[in-house]
Amino acid sequence: MARESGTIVVAVGGNSLIVDQDHVSVQDQQRAATESMKHIAEMVAAGWRVVATHGNGPQVGFLLRRAELASGELPTLPLDVLVADTQGAIGYMFSTALRAEFGARGIQKDVVALVTHSVVDPDDPAFAAPSKPVGSFMSEAEAAAHAAEDGWNVVEDSRRGWRRVVASPLPRRILEVDAVRALVEKDFTVIAAGGGGIPVVAQDGGYRGVEAVIDKDLATALLAKELGAGTMLISTAVDAVAVGFGTSQQRWLATVHAAELREHLAHGEFGAGSMAPKVRAAVDFVEQGGDRAVITSPQLMMEALAGTAGTLVLP
């Protein structure tokens, strides 16, 4: 597949909606979405065809907590439905903010937020070893009750209490990739693969949802590869990738090749729940044909694309 050098897939960071624990209301999230979408609008104004993905961890957590509080009156909802729910809500906030930005800048484009499914392998080893914490903290007694009554896998999380853990399988295919490609070709700005995509497995000629969560950075890399995008950008809370982070040997990486990052990953250089998935996604993308991957903070996206900020990952 020929690479589309003018198409970029952007993973909007987890701080795009929840800035801090004191600003979690819907109104707070809408304000944060407005700020985040300014950076996407800048890319569009510069001539990029943008597909944006996003995380949904806090939002799924809120929905799970609401379900717990209402469990005496209403049935619980499975994770695949909650991912779909957050895709719709966050897509709504992002598309509304983007349309306002486009209008203010005189950009004649429209936005589509697409409910997106990620196909996973039912035999993925992750299903045999659930490890991704979801939902709120519980006492040991509550966790034991859920394990016995609901079949949950539960673990003690950093001595802060007990939490449910679910599988985090690798995404193998984005079902709607052809639809995303057609929308991009029609000059739409697209929001897709939110929360890593709704996790589904093939069954009886169709698909069924599964109790899992998919890493949104790995799903972003897969979507970018399947679209044939030339560039993938992952925004995060720091300006660039560092080795020796937080130590006296800390060193920021400006331009780096995938092979070097693979070595750093193998040596456990990056946090498993923070930078490691982003680095792995960047490496996967360029090793599978992408021109370049960029990791940086939202404020430095344009500078990073120009090569003057952030971390640039090359094949």
Side-chain angles (χ1 to χ4, degrees):
M1 178 188 297
R3 288 282 150 186
E4 293 289 342
S5 60
T7 299
I8 183 170
V9 180
V10 181
V12 180
N15 59 348
S16 59
L17 290 174
I18 306 294
V19 178
D20 57 50
Q21 293 307 306
D22 295 324
H23 298 85
V24 299
S25 71
V26 171
Q27 292 76 18
D28 289 326
Q29 292 184 55
Q30 287 173 326
R31 283 189 286 270
T34 297
E35 189 62 33
S36 294
M37 290 304 102
K38 288 179 180 178
H39 306 299
I40 300 296
E42 281 186 63
M43 292 184 187
V44 174
W48 290 96
R49 291 179 294 183
V50 178
V51 177
T53 69
H54 60 82
N56 68 344
Q59 290 76 24
V60 166
F62 294 159
L63 292 178
L64 285 169
R65 181 58 179 155
R66 289 189 182 104
E68 290 172 16
L69 294 172
S71 60
E73 297 183 25
L74 297 170
T76 59
L77 295 173
L79 277 173
D80 55 316
V81 172
L82 296 182
V83 173
D85 194 331
T86 56
Q87 282 189 2
I90 295 171
Y92 156 64
M93 285 189 271
F94 279 4
S95 60
T96 300
L98 262 182
R99 286 191 178 99
E101 284 295 321
F102 287 172
R105 297 166 185 262
I107 297 173
Q108 299 298 313
K109 278 182 179 283
D110 204 354
V111 186
V112 171
L114 193 64
V115 173
T116 314
H117 303 72
S118 291
V119 181
V120 301
D121 184 347
D123 296 321
D124 191 301
F127 286 109
S131 61
K132 183 70 173 178
V134 296
S136 56
F137 288 94
M138 301 170 280
S139 68
E140 185 174 0
E142 289 173 314
H146 279 299
E149 298 169 12
D150 303 315
W152 286 9
N153 293 286
V154 294
V155 298
E156 189 176 15
D157 188 353
S158 306
R159 298 183 179 179
R160 294 178 294 173
W162 289 72
R163 294 183 76 187
R164 180 186 179 190
V165 289
V166 299
S168 185
L170 292 174
R172 301 293 183 179
R173 184 160 59 93
I174 306 296
L175 276 186
E176 291 78 10
V177 65
D178 289 338
V180 174
R181 183 181 298 108
L183 288 164
V184 171
E185 290 173 353
K186 291 290 186 181
D187 216 24
F188 285 88
T189 298
V190 184
I191 301 160
I198 303 165
V200 296
V201 296
Q203 178 177 290
D204 301 327
Y207 300 91
R208 66 172 175 85
V210 291
E211 289 280 285
V213 293
I214 297 172
D215 183 88
K216 59 97 175 167
D217 295 312
L218 296 180
T220 300
L222 177 61
L223 177 60
K225 178 180 77 73
E226 291 188 338
L227 284 175
T231 302
M232 179 180 74
L233 187 150
I234 298 176
S235 73
T236 184
V238 294
D239 293 343
V241 179
V243 291
F245 186 76
T247 72
S248 58
Q249 284 77 44
Q250 178 172 305
R251 175 170 61 91
W252 296 103
L253 302 177
T255 299
V256 60
H257 292 277
E260 179 183 340
L261 283 180
R262 280 281 184 208
E263 290 184 11
H264 290 313
L265 281 167
H267 289 93
E269 184 66 54
F270 309 112
S274 54
M275 188 57 74
K278 296 170 176 55
V279 170
R280 187 172 294 112
V283 169
D284 287 349
F285 175 65
V286 299
E287 286 185 341
Q288 295 179 52
D291 295 333
R292 60 175 179 164
V294 177
I295 302 175
T296 193
S297 60
Q299 296 79 8
L300 294 178
M301 284 184 187
M302 294 305 296
E303 289 89 341
L305 289 173
T308 59
T311 296
L312 173 64
V313 182
L314 298 175

